Amino acid sequence: MSPSPTRILLPLALLAPKLSPPRPPFISRRRRDRAGAARCGCATEAAGGGGGGGSVVVEDDLYELLQVLPRDLRDNLQNEPRKDQLLEVVLDLGRRPEARFLGDSGGQYLRDSEISQQELEEAQRAVGEFGGDNRAGIEGTLHRISAIRSRKGMVVGLTCRVGRAVTGHVDMVRDLLNYKESILFLGRPGVGKTTVMREIARVLADEFQKRVVIVDTSNEIGGDGDIPHAAIGGARRMQVAEPSMQHRVMIEAVENHMPEVVIVDEIGTEAEAQACRSIAERGVMLIGTAHGEHLANIIKNPTLSDLIGGVETVTLGDEEARARRSQKSILERKAPPTFPFLIEMRERHYWVTHRTERSVDMLLHGKKPLVEVRKRDNNFQVVIERWATYDGDGL
């Protein structure tokens, strides 16, 4: 039987520095009248008192995204009771348009008739030019429009993803930011990694008074357009011309702009992993994300394993193998991890936190590491629980 959870933090070597008083949440630079405020989709997800962080405020600018859609779909979604939970709208040629909502495994058809080529072309004109990664945005917002193309290059599908500026999620990791060590977030698509990156950028720049540079490959963190969205606060944003150039822009950010913190979304190539190590070795704090649900996914991924120190095969002597009661060939961590902390975002409000070095070593030795579970209770307060067992698939 696993031991009962306790509300104590993992023992960490560093002491948290004193922080200056927090500044109020960001205020959008754009002026809004009363009608505009209603259109912006501002909402408070929950409220509560106490020091654990009892409120998550969401601004989604949903009105601007709906202008891309055909008029009948726009009207349907304006009257949809769950529009605050809208995740994305899918428009595929010759198929019925579909809306997907947070927490739902399936989708909801918005009408009985199929999407026409004319409707796709009109949506394209409303969005503008797509980049080399087939992504586009709406200037001044955080929304993302992704295209599916035919073999001839014609757009035959659009995924219209709602981008939300959220304040309050940083309470889940505020204590870890005090340690000034790099943090890697893992999670499946749609769990909210980019949203968390955005708020961490704002908090580090405005409350911690750090020099923060965001390497924004698809303009997802800072929004579309040359002026970044107010949601990133005082953080600076470097755009990337081509996704394949992300690793070069990461190094350029450090060499040219002297950041104390670099934030990068969707680390996915060996070159980007090596750029992360180079940045960390220069004493710069990194906040990054990668796709994968569990730490074991990164350990087994030869492209990204360098983020957690890399893995190599070591041959033991006979006496050492007997002392360890193991085979002569074993797996060992090759180097210190680039990211001392790793967080598995299982759900939006349920995170598993690793001290990367310790967890990797224990997993490679066939043991179950000590982890922290960070979640919100019924009053939306942050609760941190220490568990004794972890199996990489659940607790």
Side-chain angles (χ1 to χ4, degrees):
M1 181 180 295
S2 63
S4 18
T6 56
R7 296 194 181 194
I8 57 178
L9 292 172
L10 288 173
L12 299 170
L14 301 178
L15 295 176
K18 293 183 179 179
L19 301 179
S20 56
R23 293 175 58 177
F26 74 88
I27 301 174
S28 174
R29 297 191 187 105
R30 288 173 293 158
R31 294 177 55 195
R32 291 193 178 95
D33 54 18
R34 290 185 180 180
R39 289 190 307 233
C40 82
C42 300
T44 301
E45 197 164 317
S55 175
V56 172
V57 180
V58 180
E59 179 185 356
D60 58 19
D61 292 310
L62 187 59
Y63 176 82
E64 282 81 355
L65 180 66
L66 296 184
Q67 303 313 301
V68 174
L69 306 178
R71 180 178 295 276
D72 59 332
L73 305 187
R74 188 188 318 160
D75 294 340
N76 286 345
L77 288 171
Q78 285 280 24
N79 298 320
E80 169 60 48
R82 296 184 297 163
K83 67 180 180 180
D84 288 342
Q85 300 298 313
L86 182 65
L87 180 65
E88 61 189 14
V89 178
V90 175
L91 309 178
D92 284 336
L93 181 64
R95 292 185 174 183
R96 289 182 288 173
E98 183 179 358
R100 296 170 181 170
F101 297 89
L102 295 171
D104 284 0
S105 56
Q108 173 182 315
Y109 291 120
L110 297 175
R111 71 183 188 198
D112 292 332
S113 58
E114 292 85 6
I115 290 291
S116 67
Q117 185 64 52
Q118 181 181 351
E119 288 175 321
L120 284 178
E121 291 173 356
E122 290 175 355
Q124 279 183 261
R125 286 194 291 271
V127 170
E129 187 177 354
F130 286 88
D133 56 356
N134 279 315
R135 291 179 177 181
I138 301 171
E139 188 165 354
T141 76
L142 302 170
H143 306 309
R144 184 185 80 194
I145 316 297
S146 302
I148 297 176
R149 296 184 183 272
S150 68
R151 293 179 62 183
K152 297 180 180 180
M154 184 177 67
V155 173
V156 294
L158 293 174
T159 302
C160 306
R161 187 74 173 270
V162 179
R164 292 180 169 88
V166 179
T167 58
H169 275 323
V170 76
D171 295 329
M172 299 276 279
V173 290
R174 186 180 291 271
D175 60 308
L176 299 185
L177 297 180
N178 296 340
Y179 292 98
K180 304 178 183 179
E181 293 193 282
S182 299
I183 306 173
L184 179 65
F185 289 83
L186 301 182
R188 66 183 185 278
V191 80
K193 300 186 298 299
T194 303
T195 302
V196 172
M197 295 293 100
R198 194 177 296 126
E199 192 188 7
I200 288 177
R202 177 186 62 80
V203 168
L204 287 173
D206 294 355
E207 297 183 21
F208 286 64
Q209 298 294 303
K210 298 290 185 183
R211 297 189 302 273
V212 180
V213 172
I214 300 169
V215 178
D216 204 1
T217 302
S218 299
N219 285 358
E220 282 195 76
I221 300 178
D224 206 48
D226 292 334
I227 300 175
H229 195 280
I232 67 171
R236 303 180 74 188
R237 189 262 296 271
M238 293 183 68
Q239 299 185 56
V240 182
E242 292 290 337
S244 60
M245 302 296 289
Q246 176 169 286
H247 64 286
R248 294 190 181 183
V249 179
M250 292 166 63
I251 298 299
E252 179 187 336
V254 176
E255 292 179 343
N256 292 355
H257 304 290
M258 294 190 302
E260 296 174 285
V261 183
V262 170
I263 293 180
V264 58
D265 200 11
E266 295 186 2
I267 302 164
T269 68
E270 187 174 355
E272 290 162 9
Q274 291 174 352
C276 286
R277 178 164 294 278
S278 176
I279 291 170
E281 288 173 349
R282 303 180 198 206
V284 177
M285 180 181 178
L286 273 165
I287 306 291
T289 72
H291 287 303
E293 290 195 71
H294 308 294
L295 173 57
N297 300 141
I298 304 298
I299 293 175
K300 296 173 183 177
N301 186 334
T303 302
L304 299 180
S305 64
D306 190 57
L307 299 175
I308 49 85
V311 178
E312 63 182 357
T313 301
V314 176
T315 302
L316 303 176
D318 293 338
E319 293 184 6
E320 180 69 16
R322 281 195 295 270
R324 294 194 184 194
R325 296 181 180 179
S326 68
Q327 298 177 344
K328 294 188 67 174
S329 293
I330 62 171
L331 296 177
E332 292 279 1
R333 180 171 46 83
K334 186 163 50 176
T338 302
F339 292 89
F341 289 109
L342 184 144
I343 295 177
E344 300 174 3
M345 293 180 64
R346 303 284 182 85
E347 302 293 342
R348 287 181 179 265
H349 304 301
Y350 189 94
W351 302 358
V352 176
T353 307
H354 295 267
R355 204 44 157 137
T356 310
E357 183 173 330
R358 180 167 49 215
S359 289
V360 170
D361 290 348
M362 294 188 73
L363 286 171
L364 290 177
H365 294 162
K367 299 177 182 178
K368 296 179 179 180
L370 193 68
V371 296
E372 283 180 350
V373 175
R374 294 164 178 259
K375 59 185 178 181
R376 292 188 185 270
D377 61 17
N378 293 334
N379 295 320
F380 228 64
Q381 302 299 308
V382 176
V383 177
I384 301 176
E385 299 174 347
R386 189 176 75 180
W387 291 69
T389 57
Y390 169 84
D391 60 13
D393 295 314
L395 296 170

